[in-house]
């Protein structure tokens, strides 16, 4: 009896691909969004003159930056349950992206903050502004401009690296690609489409960054 | 208004301020002159705690400047400072530069602050540059914005730290004119400058500093025309 092999992609496969795309977006928006928020605080701590803040921040950054993303995912998904903390698949994916991106982004935040001149701090202090007011109204808006190019580069890298989350069987874009090739053996078409969908996610981001950079430069 | 009692400051081994005492009355314009490295800018910066002193007392309008942060910020809000390099906020328009501190620090309503800021900018002759960014202005214009920004906090005392030293010669006058207007309006001012013309014309008192000490002080005419100290004579001989 001949084994049945589906030899073309059908509408259900297309829907599955779109679901995968949607899940990748969901994963990245949550993981990288949370990572960005954490990065802001870790970056501020790292740039702080107080050792009690800057040393723990530096340690956090180094440990995460210098270990593989895949190991971080394994630790969160496979090791935490051994310590009694069961992490659902989606949460594990989000947490991994969050932790990983926060460390890299924190370094970018630190560099951005330190790129703002001392004269700006003195001007703000001379006007009676406190630390939080100075950061919020003077330093961070200027640091933001410096942070855009490396920050967007990092985000694009991480969106693509989110494909690693497929190894814990979260049905994101790459996992969908694997499922469809196993079913149809149409590796060329399926992975071609998957790659193109990643491109569709990342390319507008590059464009947006260029646009933002140009717009902010005019007002500099 | 300002009372400085026996302050000392060291940068490492360097004794930048050596037992400096100084009183400035309300409405007085005091000009500090001296060679570079004499400590005159440092003295100015100590007055709003941009530099801490190691010993001695500084009182501004009845508030002691010490390590208490609330005191430091209270004093800074009352003391405007204008820097040599302008230090405007490059990401904000001229009007936003002027409005930022009154809104954020003083918590005054934005519409009211805006009105005051426009008046302040008109006073320094920049009413048509309100929505420009600092990078679109000349050095003289930027410095006048910096003066307006400091004035918007309605300070009781203004510090000027070599505010014309970074300017092209033809731009110096517009800044000095703004300062003269301010002096005539009765502002208490401490001015570190190399502009001897300004000192002669506007100063109620001139202080000559060298090597971290106040060497000589007196009326402008006395200091410039009849200096008593040898070091003052040498310095004036070099620059006049």
């Amino acid at each position: 009896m001949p084994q049945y092999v589906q030899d073309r992609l059908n509408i259900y496969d297309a829907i599955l691909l779109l679901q995968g795309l949607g899940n990748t977006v969901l994963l990245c928006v949550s993981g990288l969004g949370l990572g960005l928020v954490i990065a802001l605080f870790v970056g501020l701590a790292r740039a702080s003159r107080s050792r009690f803040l800057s040393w723990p921040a530096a340690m956090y950054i180094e440990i995460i930056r210098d270990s593989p993303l895949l190991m971080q995912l394994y630790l969160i998904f496979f090791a935490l349950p051994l310590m009694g903390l069961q992490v659902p698949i989606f949460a594990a994916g989000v947490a991994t992206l969050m932790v990983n991106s926060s460390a890299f982004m924190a370094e970018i935040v630190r560099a951005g903050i330190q790129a703002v001149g001392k004269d700006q701090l003195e001007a703000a202090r001379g006007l009676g502004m406190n630390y939080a007011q100075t950061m919020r109204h003077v330093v961070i808006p200027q640091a933001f401009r410096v942070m855009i190019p490396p920050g967007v580069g990092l985000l694009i890298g991480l969106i693509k690296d989110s494909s690693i989350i497929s190894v814990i069987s979260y049905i994101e874009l790459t996992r969908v690609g694997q499922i469809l090739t196993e079913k149809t053996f149409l590796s060329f078409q399926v992975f071609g489409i998957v790659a193109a969908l990643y491109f569709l996610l990342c390319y507008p981001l590059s464009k947006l960054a260029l646009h933002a950079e140009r717009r902010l430069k005019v007002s500099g | 208004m300002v009372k400085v009692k026996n302050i000392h400051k060291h940068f490492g081994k360097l004794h930048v301020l050596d037992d400096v005492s100084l009183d400035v009355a309300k409405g007085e314009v005091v000009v500090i002159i001296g060679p570079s490295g004499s400590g005159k800018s440092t003295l100015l910066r100590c007055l709003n705690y941009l530099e801490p002193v190691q010993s001695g007392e500084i009182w501004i309008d009845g508030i002691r400047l010490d390590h208490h942060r609330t005191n430091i910020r209270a004093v800074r809000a009352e003391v405007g400072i204008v820097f040599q390099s302008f230090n405007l906020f490059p990401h904000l328009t001229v009007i936003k530069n002027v409005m930022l501190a009154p809104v954020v620090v003083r918590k005054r309503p934005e519409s009211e602050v805006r009105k005051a800021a426009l008046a302040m900018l008109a006073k320094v002759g920049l009413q048509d540059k309100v929505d420009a960014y600092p990078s679109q202005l000349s050095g003289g214009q930027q410095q006048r914005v910096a003066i307006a920004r400091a004035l918007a906090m309605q300070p009781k005392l203004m510090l000027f730290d070599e505010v014309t030293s970074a300017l092209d010669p033809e731009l110096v006058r517009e800044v000095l004119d703004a300062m003269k207007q301010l002096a005539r309006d009765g502002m208490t001012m401490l001015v570190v400058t190399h502009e001897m013309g300004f000192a002669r014309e506007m100063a109620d008192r001139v202080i000559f500093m060298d090597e971290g000490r106040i060497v000589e002080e007196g009326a402008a005419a006395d200091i410039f025309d009849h200096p008593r100290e040898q070091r003052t004579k040498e310095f004036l001989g070099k620059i006049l």
Side-chain angles (χ1 to χ4, degrees), chain B:
Chain B
M1 175 64 69
V2 179
K3 199 180 246 325
V4 175
K5 271 195 224 163
N6 312 98
I7 57 169
H8 287 264
K9 181 171 181 61
H10 301 262
F11 283 134
K13 276 195 172 157
L14 195 67
H15 206 162
V16 248
L17 291 178
D18 181 1
D19 199 30
V20 173
S21 296
L22 172 70
D23 280 294
V24 180
K26 194 170 183 331
E28 206 178 6
V29 176
V30 177
V31 172
I32 307 174
I33 60 172
S36 58
S38 59
K40 52 195 195 306
S41 281
T42 307
L43 171 62
L44 211 62
R45 292 160 57 83
C46 285
L47 294 183
N48 68 352
Y49 212 83
L50 285 178
E51 304 276 355
V53 294
Q54 271 109 28
S55 65
E57 286 177 25
I58 297 174
W59 294 79
I60 307 279
D61 198 32
I63 307 175
R64 167 95 191 263
L65 247 191
D66 48 26
H67 305 287
H68 293 292
R69 286 189 190 185
T70 42
N71 270 10
I72 293 169
R73 278 203 295 277
V75 165
R76 280 177 182 162
E78 303 300 332
V79 179
I81 184 162
V82 183
F83 302 93
Q84 182 176 347
S85 50
F86 330 134
N87 301 9
L88 293 179
F89 303 130
H91 61 297
L92 299 176
T93 58
V94 164
I95 184 91
K96 296 272 183 202
N97 260 278
V98 177
M99 288 169 64
L100 182 62
V103 170
V104 167
V105 179
R106 291 252 197 252
K107 319 264 187 233
R108 283 164 52 197
E110 216 165 314
S111 57
E112 175 199 318
V113 170
R114 190 177 173 83
K115 222 178 280 169
L118 286 171
M120 213 61 81
L121 285 168
K123 206 169 179 178
V124 294
L126 289 170
Q127 58 276 30
D128 53 342
K129 296 289 182 190
V130 166
D131 294 314
Y133 282 93
S135 60
Q136 297 164 320
L137 303 181
S138 73
Q141 291 169 332
Q142 288 191 46
Q143 196 57 294
R144 284 185 282 151
V145 174
I147 292 172
R149 179 176 69 175
L151 288 176
M153 285 293 280
Q154 302 174 322
K156 293 175 178 153
L157 165 71
M158 285 284 284
L159 308 173
F160 293 88
D161 187 7
E162 300 198 33
V163 293
T164 56
S165 301
L167 296 177
D168 292 335
E170 75 271 20
L171 302 177
V172 168
R173 228 186 94 190
E174 62 190 57
V175 173
L176 290 181
D177 284 346
M179 289 166 65
K180 284 177 191 171
Q181 187 56 48
L182 194 57
R184 284 192 207 101
D185 292 347
M187 177 63 75
T188 313
M189 293 163 66
L190 259 157
V191 184
V192 168
T193 186
H194 295 292
E195 294 293 329
M196 297 305 151
F198 176 86
R200 203 181 259 278
E201 189 182 342
M202 301 308 298
D204 297 311
R205 186 155 41 116
V206 174
I207 291 175
F208 173 68
M209 281 185 76
D210 194 18
E211 293 177 345
R213 290 174 158 273
I214 291 179
V215 175
E216 187 169 355
E217 63 182 300
D222 291 338
I223 298 279
F224 287 122
D225 300 330
H226 312 288
R228 291 184 311 263
E229 299 289 331
Q230 190 57 34
R231 274 190 285 174
T232 318
K233 284 178 196 163
E234 281 169 18
F235 175 73
L236 291 171
K238 268 184 235 164
I239 61 158
L240 289 180

